[in-house]
Amino acid sequence: MKVGSTKKKKVVVREYELEIGKIQVFDNYMVSIFDEGATLTLERAYQIIGISEIHFRNKNFGFISLRKNSFAIDPTIYNYLKQLENLKAFAIVSVKEIDMHNFKIEKLFYKKPMKFFIEYDNALKWVKRRVNS
């Protein structure tokens, strides 16, 4: 347990409940937590891209995929995500080995700064560093 932490509290600017899970928007990054068994299709990815345009239209941002649950992703989504000039970092957080294997495949489609983390705090530090650089 940390006592007397001086870390700045992370404030959710807005939370969106989607069919497939939720998106939390913070000052300069977004976090997705998708439902067990959900399928992230291109149509659903457009919703997330729309949310990013509302909050980060003229501003760099990062994305953290918090993989608490197992879900499917259409890998062609990454062709659209890599066109977002202001998306500077894409982090995946999971402790599951299958997600590490899936990450290696997803990375082949994305080809921009993307990293896998076991701990959320490490992912957040990396995303913030990339967004602010």
Side-chain angles (χ1 to χ4, degrees):
M1 185 170 114
K2 291 181 183 175
V3 178
S5 176
T6 57
K7 282 188 180 178
K8 190 175 157 189
K9 192 172 189 296
K10 298 164 196 79
V11 178
V12 178
V13 173
R14 177 106 193 252
E15 187 168 288
Y16 294 86
E17 285 291 336
L18 307 177
E19 263 182 60
I20 56 170
K22 68 180 164 188
I23 300 291
Q24 295 176 323
V25 178
F26 294 84
D27 187 38
N28 61 355
Y29 64 97
M30 296 168 58
V31 177
S32 68
I33 304 166
F34 296 130
D35 298 336
E36 183 70 36
T39 301
L40 183 55
T41 61
L42 189 54
E43 179 186 340
R44 290 173 173 160
Y46 278 134
Q47 287 180 307
I48 298 164
I49 291 168
I51 292 168
S52 77
E53 288 174 352
I54 290 167
H55 294 277
F56 308 111
R57 182 173 295 275
N58 298 308
K59 181 177 169 183
N60 290 342
F61 75 102
F63 192 93
I64 299 173
S65 176
L66 190 52
R67 307 227 169 142
K68 293 179 176 181
N69 301 310
S70 296
F71 59 92
I73 300 172
D74 175 350
T76 60
I77 287 167
Y78 290 107
N79 291 328
Y80 295 89
L81 289 181
K82 67 184 176 190
Q83 293 173 21
L84 295 175
E85 294 291 324
N86 58 337
L87 177 55
K88 299 299 181 186
F90 193 103
I92 293 172
V93 180
S94 178
V95 294
K96 294 180 272 197
E97 197 170 320
I98 186 74
D99 287 335
M100 172 58 99
H101 292 296
N102 290 342
F103 166 74
K104 291 174 184 171
I105 295 164
E106 290 173 53
K107 196 166 169 55
L108 296 173
F109 289 89
Y110 189 54
K111 295 181 173 54
K112 280 176 74 175
M114 183 182 207
K115 208 165 173 185
F116 187 90
F117 295 89
I118 293 170
E119 293 182 10
Y120 178 83
D121 286 346
N122 292 337
L124 183 57
K125 286 176 195 163
W126 178 77
V127 164
K128 286 185 167 190
R129 225 178 14 254
R130 298 257 350 145
V131 168
N132 293 326
S133 65

